[in-house]
Amino acid sequence: EKMTTFGSSQDGVATNVTTETKTIQTGRTRAYGLHYVGTATGGVIELKDGATSKVKIDHGAVAESKTVIFPTPILFKTNLNSAFTTEQVTAITVFHSGGNNS
């Protein structure tokens, strides 16, 4: 079953990440949003295109679970990487399409 977002016919994928740095998708990828689980220690979640930061989400010093939907898909031309500190964020799930999934 295909996910259609913003008129896209590409397959949508949800990738769960529990490690501090990870390559989520290799190749040209669009991120649509993410869900995170944070601890009572504030921190930052970053999505990077290679080494270039494209999205930074500040997580306050509150133990919470939150979904962030981007107002428009964010293009990652090289690959989609994530970075966060596990003492601050225990897991993220990134919603994306493209790369090897198209």
Side-chain angles (χ1 to χ4, degrees), residues 1-5 8-12 101-102:
E1 181 175 333
K2 291 193 175 204
M3 177 181 83
T4 302
T5 305
S8 171
S9 63
Q10 293 185 325
D11 289 336
N101 299 308
S102 305

Side-chain angles (χ1 to χ4, degrees), residues 40-67:
T41 303
V44 175
I45 301 164
E46 272 191 278
L47 297 181
K48 299 179 178 184
D49 188 349
T52 303
S53 181
K54 296 281 273 272
V55 176
K56 282 188 179 182
I57 296 174
D58 290 320
H59 147 59
V62 177
E64 65 183 356
S65 174
K66 192 175 274 189
T67 300

Side-chain angles (χ1 to χ4, degrees), residues 14-25:
T15 301
N16 184 260
V17 181
T18 57
T19 56
E20 295 196 347
T21 57
K22 180 173 178 145
T23 298
I24 294 171
Q25 181 67 58

